Amino acid sequence: MRVTFLDIDGVLLPIGACSAVEIEAALDAPGEHLQMLVGRVPREAVDAVLELCRIGKGQIVIISTWRRLFPKPFVEGFLQALGLGEHLHADWWCDRRGFGSSKRDDIFNWIADHPGLEAAVTIDDWEIGLPYPMIQIQPDPKVGLTRADLTKARHRRRLQNVMLAAVDA
């Protein structure tokens, strides 16, 4: 099993894509603002996630703060509207365990509950501090995820592999 732990704000939805008034309106009545939020997501961000799912044969698990802000059916509808729904893991909603849990804790708890994980990539605009061999793609939050971010991650992974091979030699 391979998964992509995916954030939403700053990854799919660039910071600043919605005004403070629009964000408040969406929080108050999410269903009425679904299409507005979907319309603010750059196509390149969605295409990059789809490319990662296709190439890596992975499924999406959501680690976004949207888990606290919006109801699960709304987030699922948002992802479906973007064309990401078919790539969701059966247990795609990474549960938060406890009031003070961090995304890092949530990821490790999710992994512990799902034996057989072969590979994982985390896409978040904030540094999460994951140990090797897990890799994090950290896009510019004002731009969102781009194909250039995927290219940088591929180069970083190749460099890590070369360095480990040299140590093993």
Side-chain angles (χ1 to χ4, degrees):
M1 166 181 48
R2 298 174 181 192
V3 298
T4 297
F5 293 103
L6 183 65
D7 184 26
I8 295 175
D9 287 325
V11 173
L12 289 176
L13 187 65
I15 303 299
C18 299
S19 71
V21 171
E22 290 171 321
I23 291 168
E24 285 300 318
L27 290 171
D28 289 340
E32 295 174 22
H33 298 88
L34 175 66
Q35 290 310 312
M36 181 269 297
L37 292 169
V38 167
R40 303 293 170 85
V41 174
R43 187 72 228 168
E44 184 177 15
V46 174
D47 290 344
V49 172
L50 289 171
E51 180 179 337
L52 190 59
C53 289
R54 184 180 51 78
I55 292 170
K57 298 181 178 93
Q59 298 172 309
I60 298 169
V61 176
I62 296 299
I63 58 165
S64 175
T65 54
W66 280 35
R67 297 173 294 155
R68 288 191 323 262
L69 300 174
F70 294 106
K72 186 176 179 179
F74 173 81
V75 177
E76 185 174 18
F78 174 79
L79 296 167
Q80 293 282 358
L82 292 174
L84 299 174
E86 71 182 78
H87 297 284
L88 293 175
H89 186 278
D91 188 15
W92 63 272
W93 188 262
C94 186
D95 284 327
R96 302 195 71 222
R97 298 208 183 147
F99 179 74
S101 72
S102 67
K103 287 182 181 180
R104 185 176 196 258
D105 294 338
D106 296 341
I107 289 169
F108 286 130
N109 286 327
W110 192 95
I111 290 170
D113 291 343
H114 299 83
L117 184 68
E118 297 170 40
V121 172
T122 299
I123 308 175
D124 199 307
D125 57 311
W126 286 90
E127 176 62 44
I128 295 180
L130 299 169
Y132 181 85
M134 295 181 73
I135 192 165
Q136 178 175 346
I137 299 171
Q138 192 172 357
D140 178 339
K142 293 180 182 174
V143 176
L145 184 66
T146 64
R147 286 212 158 97
D149 293 318
L150 295 184
T151 300
K152 283 188 269 185
R154 284 187 198 110
H155 291 307
R156 188 169 53 246
R157 173 59 80 196
R158 284 188 203 117
L159 179 60
Q160 287 172 335
N161 290 339
V162 167
M163 291 170 67
L164 286 175
V167 169
D168 290 340

